């Protein structure tokens, strides 16, 4: 099982980006999917998460600016980020809770860098 994230880049404050993360490989089902971020020297924190068939939840710092969604047919989770701020600068990682041959496990994508700067 692999998660492939994409969509990061350099954007000015107030700008927007959309991150994507697709799961591939052999597995039975995907439960929760989410996005985390890690700034230099800081711990990795949850940004947004969405369970299968459930309602998303967000970190307080991104509520009203970020939207998480998923396309179950494509095994893909998205993060739409609007009104980006310099403090949003971080490496963003996707995570999926996946039922595969060995049971339910957490899988992580490789990370994609988002830089918000003028």
């Amino acid at each position: 099982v692999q998660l492939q994230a994409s969509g990061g880049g350099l954007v000015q404050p107030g700008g927007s980006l959309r991150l994507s993360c697709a799961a591939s490989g052999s597995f039975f089902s995907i439960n929760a999917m989410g996005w985390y971020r890690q700034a230099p020297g800081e711990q990795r924190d949850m940004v947004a998460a969405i369970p299968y068939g459930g309602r998303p939840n967000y970190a307080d710092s991104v509520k009203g600016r970020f939207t998480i969604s998923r396309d179950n047919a494509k095994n893909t989770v998205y993060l739409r980020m609007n009104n980006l701020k310099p403090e949003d600068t971080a490496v963003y990682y996707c995570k999926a809770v996946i039922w595969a041959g060995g049971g339910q496990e957490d899988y992580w994508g490789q990370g994609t860098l988002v830089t918000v700067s003028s």
Side-chain angles (χ1 to χ4, degrees), residues 96-113:
V97 182
I98 297 177
W99 277 99
Q104 181 171 278
E105 296 183 27
D106 293 347
Y107 291 86
W108 291 89
Q110 83 283 11
T112 184
L113 177 62

Side-chain angles (χ1 to χ4, degrees), residues 34-111:
W35 290 93
Y36 291 69
R37 68 186 180 187
Q38 187 168 20
E42 298 187 12
Q43 65 182 19
R44 188 176 299 185
D45 292 323
M46 192 274 288
V47 175
I50 182 168
Y52 184 91
R55 300 179 66 178
N57 62 89
Y58 299 91
D60 288 342
S61 59
V62 306
K63 284 180 180 177
R65 300 188 298 121
F66 290 11
T67 302
I68 188 171
S69 60
R70 59 190 287 174
D71 184 333
N72 294 323
K74 295 181 179 179
N75 298 321
T76 300
V77 62
Y78 305 96
L79 185 67
R80 177 67 180 181
M81 305 184 292
N82 295 328
N83 190 20
L84 282 159
K85 304 176 181 181
E87 52 264 40
D88 295 317
T89 296
V91 178
Y92 284 69
Y93 297 90
C94 58
K95 179 184 135 178
V97 182
I98 297 177
W99 277 99
Q104 181 171 278
E105 296 183 27
D106 293 347
Y107 291 86
W108 291 89
Q110 83 283 11

